[in-house]
Amino acid sequence: MRSIHFDFFGTGLAVSAAPGKLEVLEKLREDFSYFETRPEIVNSENQIVLCEGAAPPRRGLRVFATRACVAYGLGSKRYCDYGSGTAALLEDHGAGLQVAIYGGDADHVYETAFSALLSIVGERLDRDGFHRVHALAFSFAGKNVLLPLEQGAGKSAMGLVLLENPAVRVYSDETPLLRGGVLYPFPARFALSEKVARALGIAGGTRLFKRKIFPEKLLFPVRSERVAAPAPVGLLLRGLTAAKAPRIEPCSKPAALEGLLKYMVVGFGVAQMREYMLRLPSAGRLAAIAASRLREAWRVAGAARTAAFHVGPDARENARVLLEFLRDAQ
């Protein structure tokens, strides 16, 4: 077995791979390189093991099914059947989760491991007060901007266009973290469809992310020097779509709060697979996590400046309007 170790703001996670799964291991290393560390630096209480061979026989009571998998087992152990010969075995040790992933198709195993990592780390970060929000977040001209926005509205395209400006630093195009009113970076690779990347003239994609249910995406790395440092939210934007052209206008704090309620407290768009979160041992944690998310949303909306951003269909025009607004803002 070969292993890599990550430190997600105090949440340790190790990923180990059998010789036949080293390609998957390297993809995960690329995706989360910002958080990679040495094994002696962090206690890796959470583990993902990429195993050779077929999964062991299914066991446990069927509890629910999603578009991606069928989950079996109510207690500390769970069997997740993802189809096509891919399965994950979860074991909750209290201090962390151990997940063994089996399967022959490398793309399917990679997608399963990627989702498992986000789900395991996301739950633990929630417990530690770091809450993911489905949003684009970046820093420019001394202003730290948080834009919660629905799936498919162009956050990644807008973020990559913004990064063409050398003064922009990014927290995340998908799930920045909030804790105590402060933005923390959660940079993974930006993902765009090849069609959108070509239309915008954006180069630098390194590989395709092939997914079982969703369309495949081209992945773009973010250099560590372009990642923003933790800082309080200065501007909270209420993201609105279906505009013919982008514009920014005044917005009340309660209206801006709606985006945080939807995209952080409820968690729309946040990668948190139900087979990992909805386990009997974690049931008591969910109410505490929801309450902590609600307090964080209230804190951010109360402290930050707010505005409404009507997002248009052109990512370059959206980015231009955003940067002009920030340059002019006092």
Side-chain angles (χ1 to χ4, degrees):
M1 285 279 180
R2 186 182 299 175
S3 299
I4 54 177
H5 297 259
F6 300 104
D7 181 0
F8 296 91
F9 299 105
T11 291
L13 184 140
V15 184
S16 303
K21 297 295 191 296
L22 295 181
E23 178 186 356
V24 176
L25 186 74
E26 289 306 311
K27 287 180 178 180
L28 294 172
R29 185 199 298 272
E30 292 173 0
D31 292 335
F32 301 100
S33 60
Y34 183 82
F35 298 102
E36 188 176 1
T37 188
R38 300 191 306 274
E40 65 271 18
I41 299 297
V42 64
N43 178 20
S44 300
E45 63 271 24
N46 302 290
Q47 297 183 10
I48 296 175
V49 183
L50 308 174
C51 304
E52 298 274 30
R58 187 178 65 218
R59 59 178 181 266
L61 176 71
R62 173 172 169 156
V63 288
F64 61 82
T66 71
R67 292 176 64 190
C69 83
V70 181
Y72 300 83
L74 283 169
S76 61
K77 296 183 179 181
R78 169 162 290 171
Y79 187 107
C80 302
D81 186 349
Y82 291 92
S84 303
T86 302
L89 278 65
L90 286 63
E91 187 166 357
D92 189 333
H93 295 289
L97 276 177
Q98 180 171 322
V99 181
I101 299 175
Y102 297 82
D105 183 272
D107 289 329
H108 200 189
V109 170
Y110 165 64
E111 181 183 10
T112 303
F114 184 88
S115 299
L117 189 153
L118 290 177
S119 298
I120 294 166
V121 170
E123 180 181 343
R124 186 54 186 261
L125 287 173
D126 263 324
R127 292 164 60 186
D128 291 342
F130 290 93
H131 302 304
R132 293 175 296 168
V133 53
H134 188 243
L136 168 66
F138 67 97
S139 177
F140 176 74
K143 303 172 183 70
N144 306 302
V145 182
L146 179 63
L147 172 59
L149 201 58
E150 66 186 41
Q151 285 183 305
K155 297 185 303 302
S156 297
M158 204 185 321
L160 283 169
V161 172
L162 287 167
L163 278 171
E164 293 176 353
N165 186 310
V168 169
R169 299 292 182 270
V170 69
Y171 290 96
S172 177
D173 69 318
E174 189 70 17
T175 49
L177 302 174
L178 286 172
R179 187 190 193 199
V182 173
L183 275 168
Y184 288 82
F186 197 86
R189 292 185 169 220
F190 280 55
L192 285 184
S193 71
E194 288 186 284
K195 179 179 179 181
V196 170
R198 285 196 303 269
L200 292 171
I202 296 175
T206 56
R207 58 181 166 86
L208 282 174
F209 184 5
K210 297 180 180 180
R211 301 184 289 178
K212 185 176 180 181
I213 296 175
F214 301 101
E216 63 185 29
K217 293 289 186 75
L218 189 61
L219 299 180
F220 294 80
V222 180
R223 301 195 309 273
S224 58
E225 62 268 24
R226 302 304 304 275
V227 176
V233 179
L235 175 64
L236 172 62
L237 292 171
R238 182 189 186 195
L240 301 168
T241 56
K244 293 182 178 180
R247 68 181 189 277
I248 298 176
E249 60 189 22
C251 173
S252 69
K253 288 183 179 294
L257 178 63
E258 290 180 12
L260 290 179
L261 294 177
K262 182 175 181 180
Y263 296 113
M264 182 176 71
V265 178
V266 178
F268 281 106
V270 174
Q272 187 71 51
M273 304 300 105
R274 281 175 281 177
E275 58 268 31
Y276 293 92
M277 178 65 94
L278 300 180
R279 309 183 322 275
L280 195 59
S282 65
R285 305 170 190 154
L286 298 182
I289 286 173
S292 181
R293 290 179 180 180
L294 185 59
R295 288 192 299 270
E296 186 64 36
W298 187 266
R299 180 186 293 113
V300 170
R305 180 185 177 188
T306 57
F309 182 28
H310 296 261
V311 177
D314 188 321
R316 291 198 174 278
E317 186 66 7
N318 290 330
R320 183 191 66 78
V321 168
L322 259 179
L323 294 184
E324 284 189 1
F325 177 80
L326 294 171
R327 289 190 188 99
D328 296 340
Q330 299 299 319

